[in-house]
Amino acid sequence: MASDFYFTPFEGRRPPPPLRVSRPVERIWHVLGVANLLAGAIYIWWRWTHSLNFDALWFALPLVLAETCAYFGLILFTANLWKTRDYPQQAPPSSIAQCTQEGESAERPVSVDLFITTYSEEEELVRLSIRDAKQISYPHAIDFRVHVLDDGRRESMRQVCEEEGVGYISRTNNVGYKAGNLRNAMEQTSGDFIVICDADTRPFPTILEHTLGYFRDPDVAIVQTPQWFYDLPEGKRLKDVWGRRAGKPGQLLGAAIEAVFGEIRIDEDPFVNDPAMFYDVIQRRRNPWNAAFCCGAGSIHRREAVMFVALRAYADAIARSGDEGRSRIRKLLGLQHKPDDALARWQAAQEEELTPYKFHVSEDIYSTIVLHQDSERKWKTVLHPEVESKMLSPQDLLSWTVQRFKYAGGSLDIFFHDNPVTRPGMTLAQRVMYLTTFWSYFGATWNLIFLLSPIVYMFTTIAPVSAYTGDFFGHALPFLVLNELAFMMGTWGLSGYKGKVSYLASFPISLRALWAVIRGKKISFPVTPKQRQEGNYFGLVWPQIAVIGLTVTAFAWCALRLFTVGGGYTLGGLIANGLWGLNNILAMSIMVRAAFWKPEEEGSQ
Amino acid sequence: MSFRRNLRHARSHLIIVAVLIIAGAVIVQIEDRNLQQEAGKPIPDHGIESVGTVTGK
């Protein structure tokens, strides 16, 4: 029964409003952001020209290269976060004629198909999504239909659909996974707009009323709404946790710390999902450059645009296959005969399939890229800032890792095989935004160097810089301090710590994805589990545990040397690397804690 | 959202800034002192004395 779900107590939760746009805050961010980039440029220049330890180039060079790559990422991220300019919201259309070029459509109500894709998710979970979808309202007459797209071909799912009075669409195979499932549904429906929902996506009644107005601009192809996890654990106050563990003194100490630093919660959002940073900051600030991309669930698509993507991909595939076909025919007929182009094209067309969503692990971002690349039609994508649906977060580290691996692998696969940054079609700003996304996944390589550097110093006493003196800190400190202050203002209203920790600690996932793509291994399409998976996740976090273990051992080794032979360390080097190592341990420990996290009821048993 | 609430979200940045400034100042003080000692020069008292020397007061 629905009431048995772990998330039932959270049904009443409401999403936070979008971040308020403040021009004064934005101006401060601009000043600090530029100052930060300047200080960074000075620091990086000084690192290359004045600070390298030439006695240990094997260590100094990788580190300075890593810093330079990270600095380039910083430039890209600053550009991404530069400004917030939302698309103007318009009144919901009463007729499809208001959403197309003049004379393209007759006066009739808008028609919308809402697709709920499912494979193996519990039927009662899908029923909740169906019921919420049925509650969607619209101020004008509308032809609105809900369809469940069941790739599991379950009789029980069909039964639920019949009980709820919604469409049930299935197929005889699972070709293309979710993209194939959507293609099959598109062939059997005809709505002007399509709302994409996962099995656990629970749309709010306002989703169409708030988003269809954007489509009054006939160039708007996709509207993405923020994904919001309504089941994230709220955690417990520090004073209460310490009070339980250490009695009154613990409670008083916790309360004192909270009095200084503000409310601190333990076990809040254990997997540091932080969707607000992604949707409300990163994606939303791509609106001014028409570079927000589709993320699947919670997005609304113009059917014409989706078919445009399909036809473009189809034509490209035929053109490519046509070339191959021509060469095959040439071989068959002998080189002296010229083959017939039409024959090669016809043959290629027979072999290709029209696929509205590319069969790719990141079909959503891929489709957006094709739209943005069309410089003639100039399709637009919109990130609508208000949350219009609720969904479930990954409840265990395996589900979280599967999801992150798909994102990383899919994006890197596009980068290596169909890179929109270098291909023609996009504006410079759009290229910069896509490069920001791809670059972030390469970050794992330099993050690994940052994680290992303090360990190398403590074990070997070799410093990557010539000396930890006033000269070094005179260049490094302004940059580091400005960096913190700039992004505090750039993400004002959100905590930047979660994003930073998650970025640093998820390095093994991005490295695995990078390795898989470099080897040409196909990134698979496993369905992200919607229910908590039981198991031992030690295997997923051994790299983080290794970093913690190595850093702690390095600390111990360092202390041993200091108290015996004296070491050869400098105090400045010790403090700098000690704090650096401590920061790394804290970041890694969050992921290790997540591996052993259990929901409250389970944890207390 | 209130300023106080936003500031609470920003606390990690502020704590890191405080740690960086304090640690940086301590390290620079210690390292410069060590360098001066190794070079056999008198330990500079950053600030007041050196300013006084420059202005001739």
Side-chain angles (χ1 to χ4, degrees):
Chain A
M1 283 297 291
S3 58
D4 292 339
F5 287 115
Y6 75 89
F7 51 79
T8 306
F10 312 136
E11 287 289 328
R13 283 186 182 172
R14 288 283 157 264
L19 283 181
R20 204 170 62 83
V21 181
S22 158
R23 295 290 170 238
V25 169
E26 199 169 84
R27 274 186 213 109
I28 299 170
W29 148 239
H30 286 169
V31 171
L32 287 170
V34 171
N36 180 37
L37 290 183
L38 282 175
I42 293 168
Y43 170 74
I44 294 291
W45 174 255
W46 177 82
R47 284 283 286 120
W48 278 100
T49 54
H50 288 83
S51 77
L52 290 182
N53 181 356
F54 284 96
D55 295 329
L57 280 179
W58 61 271
F59 182 24
L61 269 182
L63 184 61
V64 76
L65 269 172
E67 287 178 75
T68 310
C69 289
Y71 176 68
F72 182 65
L74 180 77
I75 298 173
L76 294 173
F77 196 50
T78 304
N80 188 154
L81 264 52
W82 191 247
K83 62 180 179 183
T84 309
R85 298 288 181 276
D86 294 325
Y87 272 81
Q89 268 180 284
Q90 297 189 58
S94 56
S95 160
I96 187 61
Q98 294 165 353
C99 301
T100 54
Q101 307 274 14
E102 220 177 302
E104 265 187 13
S105 300
E107 289 286 344
R108 62 165 173 80
V110 170
S111 59
V112 178
D113 289 310
L114 185 142
F115 293 157
I116 300 173
T117 57
T118 177
Y119 173 62
S120 56
E121 295 84 359
E122 207 175 311
E123 291 83 347
E124 290 306 312
L125 180 88
V126 183
R127 190 195 292 273
L128 293 175
S129 303
I130 296 171
R131 286 186 176 169
D132 281 6
K134 284 163 63 183
Q135 295 298 315
I136 291 174
S137 60
Y138 198 68
H140 308 291
I142 188 169
D143 179 4
F144 176 60
R145 293 158 203 243
V146 178
H147 311 271
V148 173
L149 281 48
D150 181 23
D151 248 6
R153 295 179 283 282
R154 292 164 291 176
E155 194 47 46
S156 50
M157 193 71 251
R158 181 194 293 276
Q159 185 70 36
V160 168
C161 291
E162 273 173 21
E163 286 166 16
E164 295 296 331
V166 298
Y168 176 85
I169 298 175
S170 190
R171 54 187 180 147
T172 52
N173 56 53
N174 296 100
V175 173
Y177 300 91
K178 186 179 171 184
N181 199 3
L182 289 170
R183 177 181 74 174
N184 180 52
M186 284 193 71
E187 286 167 359
Q188 299 180 46
T189 55
S190 59
D192 305 311
F193 301 103
I194 299 155
V195 183
I196 308 280
C197 294
D198 285 346
D200 62 326
T201 309
R202 312 261 304 270
F204 294 158
T206 53
I207 187 167
L208 294 182
E209 188 179 344
H210 287 174
T211 58
L212 287 190
Y214 292 112
F215 291 102
R216 281 175 176 267
D217 178 348
D219 295 333
V220 169
I222 296 175
V223 175
Q224 176 68 53
T225 64
Q227 298 182 353
W228 173 60
F229 300 131
Y230 68 107
D231 61 337
L232 289 179
E234 282 177 329
K236 289 203 161 49
R237 296 282 295 269
L238 180 73
K239 60 178 184 177
D240 298 333
V241 174
W242 284 10
R244 258 207 319 274
R245 288 181 189 163
K248 197 73 187 164
Q251 191 186 19
L252 284 173
L253 184 62
I257 291 173
E258 287 198 46
V260 177
F261 297 114
E263 187 180 297
I264 296 172
R265 287 185 170 272
I266 308 289
D267 279 342
E268 177 192 31
D269 186 10
F271 303 103
V272 280
N273 288 292
D274 205 15
M277 181 62 82
F278 179 69
Y279 288 99
D280 213 358
V281 177
I282 295 173
Q283 280 268 58
R284 188 178 176 190
R285 295 189 197 181
R286 292 182 180 200
N287 273 340
W289 321 111
N290 184 26
F293 60 82
C294 172
C295 301
S299 58
I300 302 97
H301 302 217
R302 185 191 290 268
R303 181 181 287 261
E304 179 204 348
V306 177
M307 291 317 294
F308 168 87
V309 173
L311 286 168
R312 170 54 60 94
Y314 185 62
D316 288 349
I318 290 172
R320 278 200 298 272
S321 304
D323 289 339
E324 289 164 21
R326 269 189 290 277
S327 65
R328 277 206 303 272
I329 292 167
R330 224 177 260 134
K331 272 183 194 162
L332 279 172
L333 299 178
L335 287 172
Q336 66 272 34
H337 295 290
K338 265 201 131 181
D340 181 0
D341 271 1
L343 174 65
R345 277 202 301 276
W346 176 80
Q347 195 175 35
Q350 293 298 306
E351 288 167 9
E352 292 299 329
E353 282 186 286
L354 190 71
T355 50
Y357 295 96
K358 196 173 172 75
F359 290 177
H360 189 269
V361 67
S362 294
E363 86 280 349
D364 26 35
I365 184 170
Y366 221 140
S367 302
T368 321
I369 286 171
V370 177
L371 288 168
H372 285 154
Q373 277 176 328
D374 191 82
S375 50
E376 288 165 28
R377 184 63 179 79
K378 294 193 191 308
W379 288 107
K380 292 178 189 164
T381 53
V382 176
L383 191 282
H384 171 70
E386 284 161 51
V387 173
E388 298 292 351
S389 62
K390 57 183 180 183
M391 51 193 79
L392 301 174
S393 65
Q395 281 295 297
D396 57 86
L397 198 67
L398 177 64
S399 315
W400 185 87
T401 305
V402 166
Q403 198 180 60
R404 293 293 164 119
F405 184 77
K406 280 198 292 187
Y407 295 160
S411 302
L412 289 169
D413 187 67
I414 295 171
F415 180 84
F416 281 111
H417 299 115
D418 210 354
N419 191 344
V421 181
T422 52
R423 297 233 166 149
M426 287 193 189
T427 63
L428 178 65
Q430 286 173 325
R431 287 169 205 264
V432 168
M433 296 301 135
Y434 279 105
L435 184 58
T436 309
T437 301
F438 298 133
W439 199 256
S440 70
Y441 289 112
F442 286 108
T445 46
W446 40 94
N447 280 344
L448 182 62
I449 295 173
F450 294 146
L451 292 170
L452 295 177
S453 288
I455 299 170
V456 172
Y457 173 77
M458 294 209 186
F459 273 127
T460 63
T461 73
I462 296 169
V465 293
S466 47
Y468 287 105
T469 56
D471 206 17
F472 171 76
F473 286 99
H475 286 88
L477 266 187
F479 174 40
L480 295 175
V481 168
L482 275 168
N483 193 47
E484 288 299 327
L485 295 177
F487 284 99
M488 179 179 84
M489 297 311 295
T491 60
W492 187 245
L494 289 178
S495 167
Y497 188 66
K498 280 184 188 175
K500 228 171 358 185
V501 164
S502 164
Y503 183 53
L504 192 59
S506 61
F507 77 97
I509 299 173
S510 298
L511 282 183
R512 274 185 209 134
L514 185 59
W515 182 233
V517 173
I518 287 172
R519 280 184 302 155
K521 215 175 150 194
K522 201 169 178 195
I523 305 295
S524 56
F525 294 72
V527 175
T528 313
K530 301 292 182 288
Q531 297 280 21
R532 183 176 162 75
Q533 307 295 295
E534 289 303 326
N536 179 357
Y537 301 121
F538 176 81
L540 294 176
V541 289
W542 72 261
Q544 289 91 338
I545 293 176
V547 169
I548 293 175
L550 278 170
T551 312
V552 171
T553 312
F555 282 166
W557 173 254
C558 190
L560 185 73
R561 281 187 64 139
L562 278 172
F563 287 114
T564 53
V565 291
Y569 303 100
T570 63
L571 197 58
L574 274 182
I575 297 174
N577 284 282
L579 287 173
W580 190 355
L582 202 63
N583 173 67
N584 292 346
I585 289 175
L586 280 176
M588 297 301 114
S589 65
I590 286 177
M591 211 40 70
V592 176
R593 275 175 69 94
F596 300 103
W597 176 82
K598 281 187 173 151
E600 205 181 321
E601 304 80 59
E602 273 180 67
S604 58
Q605 271 170 14
Chain B
M1 211 180 275
S2 70
F3 178 78
R4 201 178 144 76
R5 201 174 147 83
N6 286 335
L7 200 62
R8 190 165 70 77
H9 286 302
R11 66 170 180 248
S12 72
H13 296 286
L14 295 172
I15 292 168
I16 292 171
V17 165
V19 170
L20 283 171
I21 290 174
I22 293 166
V26 169
I27 295 170
V28 169
Q29 199 75 4
I30 294 166
E31 290 287 326
D32 282 357
R33 215 169 266 261
N34 288 346
L35 275 177
Q36 295 289 349
Q37 272 177 338
E38 282 169 22
K41 291 181 185 171
I43 299 160
D45 189 351
H46 287 286
I48 300 164
E49 268 186 30
S50 49
V51 172
T53 314
V54 170
T55 53
K57 289 178 186 171

